[in-house]
Amino acid sequence: MHTVLVTLLIIVSIGLIASVLLQSGKSAGLSGAIAGGAEQLFGKQKARGLDLVLHRLTVVLAVLFFILTLAVTYVGL
């Protein structure tokens, strides 16, 4: 059981890393933060299309990551 959970954790981790790296940047570095990057922080621009799918996938994979991490810890005891 422990081996299955660790394998799933590795697969979810790789998927989480890939989904974060595939997302487009929200600002143009430091200049974007100074010149209005805060508007995006508070949700004035909504994600659309592929960005929306990647955002939702990232949230799902992050939740799975934490659940699997707790499960691996619990089973490992």
Side-chain angles (χ1 to χ4, degrees), residues 23-24 26 46-59:
Q23 291 180 13
S24 62
K26 300 291 184 205
K46 300 288 183 186
R48 297 181 189 258
L50 184 60
D51 286 336
L52 179 63
V53 172
L54 286 173
H55 175 71
R56 289 182 179 165
L57 181 66
T58 303
V59 170

Side-chain angles (χ1 to χ4, degrees), residues 20-29 40 45 51 54:
V20 168
L21 290 177
L22 286 173
Q23 291 180 13
S24 62
K26 300 291 184 205
S27 64
Q40 293 177 355
Q45 291 186 351
D51 286 336
L54 286 173

